[in-house]
Amino acid sequence: MDRRTLAGGLGGLALVIAAVVALRTGDAPDTLKREIADGVEVVALQEPTKPTNARAQALDADALQVTWNGSASAYEVRWNGNELLVPGPEVELPGLNPDDQVEVEIRAVNATGKRSEPLKIAATPKDLYNDRWDDQLVGQTERFDGPESLDPRKWRVEAEPDCLGLRPFGPSKRIDVDCPMAAFQSNTPIRFGVPASDGATGRAIISVAGAVESSHVRLTLLPDPWQYVKENDVQPLGAVSLDITTQGTRIIADPDLPRTAKQVTLGDSQITGLVAGVRHRWEMRVLPDAVVALRDGVVVAYESVAIKTPLVHPRIRIDGGGFLDSFGVGGVPERVVPTEVIPLVKETEVPQDAVAAKIVTPEPANQVKVVDIPVSTRKVAAADPAQLVVIRKPESRPGTLPKLADRPGGIKTGGPRLHVMHEDGTKPPQPIPPRGRILVTAEINAIGHRGIELELDGKRIVALPTNEQGSAVPGRHEFWLDAKNLTPGSHARLKLSVLPADHGEPVITETVFELGTTP
């Protein structure tokens, strides 16, 4: 799925522009010539400010996470002869030697490619890695790092065909989720036991990274029989969810669950949500009287409720894209139950290796009906929305593996966006006053482009290089247009082109706005 978007509309032509004048020309052959038309003013960008307060941690013995403080459009990170551009104040560097000290330099970069002075930090992965992360888990942590990661014995996947893949992560890989929505139902339940040293009777952990600013991850603990029902936006009865967005983390619980008076102290984590391209480890810790969320070992949210069922079924849902890295559960050891959910059509057959079968039907008022049927049944007489649930023999492999093709590395970016506003605050779809000044804002999400061009009614009014001191980064550009050069009562079309460094096809977006008729 291509995350670049094209938004436009129809409109008339209405502009009188004087000759375009060149203000500056670069020396390199591939440098875009800076050209600004008369009647257009470029809003000056701030000089990039050196980042501050670098910190490092390690989720693996061969990787470093580095965070810092800053408010730049993006940052350039250098280490071990490598260079990477990132959209926010955080980066993960995989594939390192655990015993080697890594020297990292971070520079703020503005929208035209200017760099700040570097912030420096040095760290050794093995000194920061906490090898006790998974002491409380049952069995091995699952790593989603290969084409058979989603073993049908262990997982049931609900996603569009071909929207899952494998993206490089250092010397390894991880599942790249590039779907509007993908759900991963675990066939390994969590059975609650006696409280551990931290008070938890059970737990689930998930290591994920965001893809774009709209990424959304939800880890839900489902009571029977909700694990058989297709994913939807209704909170199932008795369920508790760990809800993670780029804005933060929270616990969502069924309001009918028993409330308690439990109070939990939150940690001092500055960032509590998803980060594009950077893994974090979330833990959903179930106590007898609360459910607590931890991010990299720091408490970031909790809900004072009591889960009364002895067993729950974890489900991961990812909206808007993301990267799935690892998963694990804690509690009383439970075996994997190879399960397949089959949509019912005319004369659906019960597989011969089934040891149990049932028909599950969603009903009104957020209810579910379950009817057990003999495994000797060869033909099932039921129709959608009912589903046939089949529990297979332990050695069976229900369904087929999802297709996980290799994909290129790098951080995903969204498409460019254009916004128009008159200096008096009027915005489309309201007609823009044909007087004063009009502010045009271009939001660029691309990495590594060489410049942008802005056209008004088919005539170029801005050509702006964005690689002054190196590869370009996401950023915001603002321009003032003189409204007196526009024809009252007309429709003006703006076209923004982001020019790639390889001189390939530009990424384009358009918008149309209406000019009023009275001053």
Side-chain angles (χ1 to χ4, degrees):
M1 181 185 301
D2 192 342
R3 294 191 177 279
R4 298 174 299 178
T5 58
L6 175 64
L10 301 176
L13 304 178
L15 178 65
V16 178
I17 297 182
V20 174
V21 294
L23 299 185
R24 187 172 73 89
T25 303
D27 297 324
D30 63 345
T31 298
L32 181 70
K33 179 190 294 184
R34 177 183 170 108
E35 297 178 334
I36 309 298
D38 287 348
V40 179
E41 176 188 346
V42 180
V43 178
L45 294 171
Q46 290 185 343
E47 292 291 314
T49 303
K50 177 181 175 180
T52 61
N53 192 26
R55 293 93 64 196
Q57 68 172 11
L59 291 188
D60 289 321
D62 62 351
L64 275 180
Q65 288 177 321
V66 183
T67 60
W68 56 90
N69 293 348
S71 57
S73 299
Y75 300 87
E76 178 187 82
V77 181
R78 298 180 184 178
W79 79 103
N80 291 354
N82 301 302
E83 181 180 306
L84 182 66
L85 295 172
V86 297
E90 189 165 2
V91 70
E92 184 165 20
L93 311 176
L96 305 175
N97 187 321
D99 298 308
D100 289 350
Q101 179 174 278
V102 181
E103 296 183 354
V104 184
E105 294 184 356
I106 305 122
R107 292 170 173 82
V109 187
N110 72 5
T112 59
K114 295 189 70 173
R115 268 68 171 164
S116 72
E117 290 297 313
L119 170 67
K120 299 181 180 181
I121 184 174
T124 303
K126 75 169 186 180
D127 293 342
L128 299 177
Y129 176 58
N130 181 357
D131 60 3
R132 298 181 62 188
W133 279 113
D134 300 334
D135 284 354
Q136 302 286 356
L137 299 183
V138 176
Q140 295 290 324
T141 300
E142 291 192 53
R143 300 285 181 180
F144 300 106
D145 56 2
E148 296 196 2
S149 298
L150 295 171
D151 185 338
R153 298 182 192 89
K154 297 181 178 181
W155 295 95
R156 303 196 306 274
V157 179
E158 182 183 339
E160 294 178 357
D162 301 325
C163 77
L164 305 178
L166 291 171
R167 188 173 291 268
F169 180 68
S172 185
K173 298 175 182 178
R174 58 186 172 186
I175 292 181
D176 175 17
V177 182
D178 195 15
C179 328
M181 189 283 289
F184 307 86
Q185 177 64 58
S186 174
N187 284 336
T188 306
I190 299 174
R191 183 174 295 278
F192 301 121
V194 297
S197 58
D198 56 14
T201 58
R203 70 192 76 227
I205 65 101
I206 181 174
S207 176
V208 292
V212 292
E213 62 184 15
S214 58
S215 293
H216 182 184
V217 176
R218 180 172 290 191
L219 172 61
T220 302
L221 304 183
L222 296 165
D224 284 320
W226 291 98
Q227 73 272 21
Y228 304 130
V229 179
K230 289 183 178 180
E231 179 63 24
N232 57 57
D233 294 328
V234 178
Q235 179 83 352
L237 296 177
V240 180
S241 298
L242 172 63
D243 194 67
I244 315 164
T245 69
T246 52
Q247 304 302 310
T249 301
R250 59 177 179 163
I251 297 290
I252 301 175
D254 177 4
D256 289 335
L257 284 172
R259 310 298 299 186
T260 73
K262 179 71 173 181
Q263 297 292 316
V264 179
T265 302
L266 299 180
D268 58 356
S269 177
Q270 294 181 333
I271 301 176
T272 64
L274 289 167
V275 177
V278 180
R279 293 179 308 157
H280 287 280
R281 184 186 190 275
W282 278 268
E283 179 180 351
M284 196 172 184
R285 187 176 292 174
V286 180
L287 311 179
D289 50 2
V291 179
V292 182
L294 297 91
R295 182 184 189 264
D296 298 337
V298 179
V299 177
V300 293
Y302 74 96
E303 191 72 16
S304 300
V305 295
I307 298 179
K308 295 301 184 182
T309 57
L311 182 144
V312 292
H313 304 265
R315 177 181 292 177
I316 304 166
R317 171 173 170 164
I318 299 179
D319 293 273
F323 303 105
L324 185 57
D325 181 68
S326 67
F327 173 79
V329 298
V332 177
E334 274 284 342
R335 64 185 179 91
V336 176
V337 182
T339 306
E340 185 175 8
V341 178
I342 305 171
L344 281 174
V345 294
K346 186 177 181 181
E347 295 187 338
T348 299
E349 294 188 4
V350 177
Q352 293 185 359
D353 63 348
V355 296
K358 55 192 73 181
I359 296 175
V360 177
T361 308
E363 294 194 329
N366 204 19
Q367 299 291 324
V368 179
K369 180 181 178 182
V370 180
V371 177
D372 291 319
I373 60 174
V375 294
S376 59
T377 304
R378 296 274 70 89
K379 304 288 185 180
V380 180
D384 188 70
Q387 298 185 105
L388 174 64
V389 174
V390 178
I391 313 300
R392 296 179 183 261
K393 296 178 180 178
E395 66 273 14
S396 298
R397 184 167 182 164
T400 59
L401 280 166
K403 182 180 178 182
L404 296 177
D406 288 341
R407 292 176 176 169
I411 296 176
K412 297 178 182 180
T413 58
R417 290 179 287 187
L418 270 175
H419 305 281
V420 176
M421 182 179 70
H422 193 269
E423 62 182 348
D424 69 0
T426 303
K427 300 179 183 178
Q430 299 300 317
I432 301 296
R435 53 174 169 73
R437 297 188 304 169
I438 300 170
L439 180 66
V440 176
T441 301
E443 294 183 4
I444 313 300
N445 293 308
I447 293 177
H449 54 292
R450 64 188 179 93
I452 63 171
E453 292 181 335
L454 187 65
E455 296 180 10
L456 186 54
D457 291 336
K459 295 184 178 181
R460 189 172 70 175
I461 59 173
V462 171
L464 189 67
T466 55
N467 54 358
E468 288 187 37
Q469 296 176 344
S471 297
V473 300
R476 175 192 295 261
H477 302 270
E478 294 181 328
F479 311 95
W480 287 108
L481 305 183
D482 192 341
K484 71 181 180 182
N485 291 328
L486 303 172
T487 303
S490 67
H491 289 78
R493 181 198 297 269
L494 281 168
K495 175 183 174 182
L496 172 66
S497 300
V498 182
L499 310 177
D502 62 3
H503 294 265
E505 289 296 319
V507 180
I508 295 171
T509 188
E510 297 183 354
T511 191
V512 175
F513 62 95
E514 180 183 356
L515 272 298
T517 56
T518 57

